[in-house]
Amino acid sequence: MSLLNLKKSILLVSISLYGFLVYSQTQPQRNEGVIADKAMVVSARVEASQIGTNIMKQGGNAFDAMVATELALAVCYPFAGNIGGGGFMVFRLKDGVKGSLDYREKAPLAAYRDMYLDADQNVIPDKSLLGANAVGVPGTIAGIFEVYEKFGSLPFATLIQPAIDLARKGYILTENDIKSFNWNREKFRKANDYTIPFDAELKAGDTLKLPEMASTLERIRDKGRSEFYGGMTGKLMLDYLQKLGGIMTIADLEKYKAVWREPITFSYKNFQITSMNLPSSGGICMGQIMKSIEPYKIQKYKPNSQKYIQLIVEAERRAYADRAYFLGDADFVNVPVNKLIDKNYLKQRMSDFSWKKATLSSAVSHGNVEIVESNETTHYSIIDPFGNAVSVTTTLNGAYGSKVYVPEAGFFLNNEMDDFSIKPGTPNLFGLVGAEANAVAPEKRMLSSMSPTIVEENGKLKMVLGSPGGSTIITSVLQNIINVIEYNMTMQESVNQPRFHHQWLPDEVTLEPNVFDDKSVSKLKKKGYKISEKQSVILGKVDAILVKKDGKLEGGADPRGNDAAVGF
Ligand code: DON
């Protein structure tokens, strides 16, 4: 099997089985999700949504709830929730001020451009995905302390205690958890030199206790941020990584910083959309797609009809071609962000689009933008009773990250290094290709697709949303924005809708299988679109909140997982 095919099958299998699990083909129906008057958390697990909501019941704000929810997910959703990974938060304060926090992982100081290639410049299979060399310097603990110090209102111990209790007392395993553990069992064994707790004989309904994770969280509660970036927890992590042949050192931990960044905001009709800027491609790529389709009267086409899919796919194709070429960590490379979302540039990019037939990706390259030289994931959405909104996507990258599980400290480490372009043109776990802009360099952040997003209508809070799904995050979030703002769907209807995806390369439209209308699919095929709907692929897992016209909150929890909305 060629490396490309191998990567592609890893991508498909990972998307279909890594905890998203098989999507029971729910037909969309007019229905509303959970409704609340004042506050809500929608996340991948009911335990985490409940913990975040309880914090707000105790008087905490959305940022307090963020800290509690993030840590709860690290316990009961080890598939993606983490303290050994990283993420992004986009927020909107009640007065309309917006901002974002980047707690993305970084390449270790000893990392170098060709570290995943052998002497013949061939990619070493799995080196960027499995085991100690796949691990980027984790950002999550730095992230929650930044959030807490800037915006937290309750004592930190109050925010972390529910996660400690959850780890100590245990949580009940679902069918999805068990399938996902079984699916990854072999890799857990390959990546570790001992038996990790998720490799035990477990069945749905069992209570899984994680005492080592509980003790780690207690140490963080008592000693603070430095416990992770230099204390016993950091030491346990580094000792294990070094034993397994990893390159991370104490200097990497000491130098790590979460960074407050300007999010990207663009307009679409009466709406203002704010999402993550570099090192995530999410906001830029979504902005490119939305601004490319804005001139078209999209409401003329039914949702998921042939013309609707065609228009969005063609905009996606062009945006992802730009992503592959231009985007990387803006602290290291010069990215022409404003030009890329400029409406005239995008009009010109769409000028060779024809309704008559598919544009071939081979005929689409990155756009002509002059660069002036000067130089497996989870999303949760929160709105608090004060009107603050928080949108967070956090990840270990693949399911359970590198599968490296720190002994005595009880947590998984990410395999985020695979989000770099490890060799120009070589697809990553999500089939994405990249170029020099996203090459590995010491201390650089790897390009992400994570798109925690906030939508305003005429300046007022409208939606908080985001998704996991690697490259499909951007297109999943985008389709949900369109479902609500163009087609007036409820949040739950929107989340339930079938989704499709195109990312320039490979040149195919991925459809969630057996849920699209046959006529639209055959019309697309006739126009030359290659359709892929064979596997039980699911695209994204969107957890969102809609502020309804009457001011109440509606949760959209994705039925593709065990996701849940809790509010009051
Ligand atoms: O940052 C990124 O874009 C990826 N590491 C996200 C991974 C992801 O969504 C995993 N879930 N399927």
Side-chain angles (χ1 to χ4, degrees):
M1 194 189 281
S2 75
L3 187 66
L4 196 135
N5 282 339
L6 180 72
K7 288 265 189 174
K8 212 168 125 186
S9 34
I10 293 172
L11 160 71
L12 292 173
V13 171
S14 30
I15 293 182
S16 54
L17 285 162
Y18 280 14
F20 292 134
L21 299 161
V22 182
Y23 170 34
S24 59
Q25 295 139 11
T26 7
Q27 289 302 325
Q29 42 178 270
R30 184 102 203 146
N31 65 355
E32 275 194 325
V34 170
I35 303 288
D37 289 328
K38 292 200 261 183
M40 184 174 275
V41 180
V42 190
S43 82
R45 292 292 293 223
V46 67
E47 297 89 338
S49 299
Q50 192 74 59
I51 283 173
T53 305
N54 282 346
I55 289 294
M56 295 191 284
K57 275 196 180 149
Q58 292 168 50
N61 62 30
F63 300 95
D64 294 315
M66 180 272 182
V67 173
T69 307
E70 180 93 16
L71 292 168
L73 286 167
V75 175
C76 64
Y77 195 56
F79 173 73
N82 66 83
I83 61 172
F88 300 112
M89 175 183 80
V90 170
F91 66 87
R92 180 187 185 277
L93 301 179
K94 59 182 177 209
D95 61 4
V97 168
K98 291 175 285 285
S100 68
L101 181 68
D102 162 4
Y103 56 99
R104 179 73 163 168
E105 300 90 325
K106 284 170 66 165
L109 286 156
Y112 55 97
R113 190 180 183 283
D114 293 340
M115 64 185 277
Y116 297 109
L117 307 184
D118 65 16
D120 299 324
Q121 300 296 294
N122 294 318
V123 171
I124 303 166
D126 268 353
K127 192 174 174 191
S128 65
L129 283 170
L130 187 68
N133 279 290
V135 183
V137 184
T140 297
I141 294 297
I144 59 165
F145 276 97
E146 278 293 325
V147 171
Y148 180 69
E149 277 152 27
K150 197 167 168 104
F151 294 116
S153 69
L154 298 182
F156 187 78
T158 306
L159 308 182
I160 196 171
Q161 197 58 43
I164 296 172
D165 296 342
L166 192 62
R168 187 87 49 219
K169 293 182 191 146
Y171 67 99
I172 296 174
L173 297 170
T174 67
E175 292 285 352
N176 281 355
D177 292 331
I178 299 299
K179 282 189 204 163
S180 172
F181 295 164
N182 288 339
W183 176 253
N184 287 286
R185 193 175 299 277
E186 206 184 307
K187 288 188 177 154
F188 291 153
R189 291 179 184 175
K190 262 195 187 159
N192 294 285
D193 63 2
Y194 73 112
T195 304
I196 71 166
F198 309 96
D199 186 5
E201 283 293 316
L202 294 165
K203 55 184 190 318
D206 284 354
T207 298
L208 181 63
K209 296 182 182 171
L210 299 168
E212 289 166 336
M213 171 62 126
S215 302
T216 294
L217 294 175
E218 278 164 357
R219 290 193 303 273
I220 293 172
R221 176 194 64 196
D222 299 339
K223 301 200 166 124
R225 180 194 189 281
S226 63
E227 167 60 22
F228 191 90
Y229 293 96
M232 176 176 162
T233 304
K235 191 169 174 331
L236 287 169
M237 174 169 73
L238 290 177
D239 286 351
Y240 191 49
L241 280 177
Q242 284 159 12
K243 186 171 169 207
L244 298 177
I247 56 172
M248 204 186 295
T249 67
I250 186 72
D252 287 305
L253 297 184
E254 284 169 358
K255 287 191 87 170
Y256 186 85
K257 278 198 174 68
V259 184
W260 297 99
R261 296 190 191 274
E262 270 304 301
I264 186 158
T265 298
F266 59 89
S267 65
Y268 176 89
K269 301 182 180 171
N270 300 333
F271 301 90
Q272 297 77 45
I273 293 155
T274 300
S275 192
M276 196 61 213
N277 209 332
L278 295 168
S280 178
S281 63
I284 296 171
C285 204
M286 199 190 310
Q288 285 199 300
I289 300 167
M290 292 201 76
K291 296 208 76 71
S292 298
I293 64 175
E294 192 178 18
Y296 297 82
K297 292 204 164 53
I298 201 158
Q299 284 172 356
K300 275 203 328 214
Y301 317 118
K302 284 222 289 279
N304 286 340
S305 62
Q306 174 253 312
K307 284 202 149 171
Y308 173 92
I309 296 174
Q310 193 181 358
L311 176 64
I312 293 178
V313 159
E314 291 300 344
E316 288 173 355
R317 184 196 307 282
R318 288 157 178 82
Y320 276 82
D322 276 359
R323 179 196 191 281
Y325 184 75
F326 291 112
L327 304 191
D329 182 350
D331 290 347
F332 283 71
V333 291
N334 200 352
V335 182
V337 177
N338 292 336
K339 181 69 199 266
L340 289 172
I341 56 165
D342 176 75
K343 78 172 186 223
N344 295 322
Y345 167 69
L346 293 165
K347 196 166 159 204
Q348 182 264 320
R349 284 290 274 161
M350 287 294 277
S351 60
D352 59 350
F353 158 55
S354 156
W355 288 109
K356 292 207 189 85
K357 63 175 180 28
T359 311
L360 292 178
S361 286
S362 53
V364 173
S365 173
H366 57 85
N368 212 350
V369 173
E370 196 191 340
I371 304 183
V372 187
E373 264 319 321
S374 61
N375 69 25
E376 246 141 32
T377 309
T378 188
H379 178 84
Y380 54 94
S381 296
I382 304 178
I383 295 182
D384 72 15
F386 313 105
N388 302 305
V390 161
S391 187
V392 180
T393 314
T394 179
T395 191
L396 289 164
N397 191 29
Y400 313 98
S402 63
K403 321 301 191 255
V404 174
Y405 191 75
V406 183
E408 296 169 59
F411 61 94
F412 282 110
L413 290 167
N414 67 83
N415 60 349
E416 220 70 59
M417 292 296 282
D418 189 66
D419 271 349
F420 279 117
S421 175
I422 58 172
K423 182 181 175 183
T426 297
N428 73 1
L429 178 63
F430 301 99
L432 291 166
V433 291
E436 206 49 46
N438 189 32
V440 184
E443 295 204 77
K444 190 173 172 184
R445 283 159 150 94
M446 51 301 277
L447 186 63
S448 173
S449 300
M450 292 192 284
S451 313
T453 299
I454 290 179
V455 180
E456 297 167 291
E457 182 173 14
N458 297 320
K460 284 172 73 178
L461 181 64
K462 170 96 177 165
M463 291 167 80
V464 184
L465 78 166
S467 177
S471 54
T472 69
I473 292 174
I474 302 166
T475 54
S476 299
V477 172
L478 166 101
Q479 287 168 69
N480 277 275
I481 297 175
I482 295 174
N483 290 341
V484 172
I485 69 182
E486 291 283 12
Y487 297 111
N488 201 24
M489 290 185 202
T490 69
M491 198 66 256
Q492 193 62 54
E493 280 171 351
S494 166
V495 163
N496 292 358
Q497 278 283 304
R499 295 197 272 265
F500 60 91
H501 172 75
H502 194 291
Q503 59 179 50
W504 179 50
L505 295 177
D507 188 353
E508 60 190 25
V509 186
T510 307
L511 302 181
E512 288 183 322
N514 312 320
V515 276
F516 281 82
D517 156 47
D518 290 344
K519 260 203 213 140
S520 303
V521 176
S522 69
K523 276 197 216 155
L524 283 165
K525 284 185 183 158
K526 277 207 192 99
K527 287 183 191 280
Y529 290 91
K530 190 169 167 246
I531 305 290
S532 160
E533 58 170 346
K534 278 176 259 117
Q535 281 79 3
S536 47
V537 163
I538 64 152
L539 298 176
K541 206 150 66 77
V542 175
D543 283 339
I545 307 176
L546 173 68
V547 182
K548 286 161 42 106
K549 293 226 156 59
D550 61 7
K552 291 195 176 173
L553 309 177
E554 188 210 352
D558 205 315
R560 293 159 177 84
N562 295 126
D563 304 41
V566 177
F568 62 90

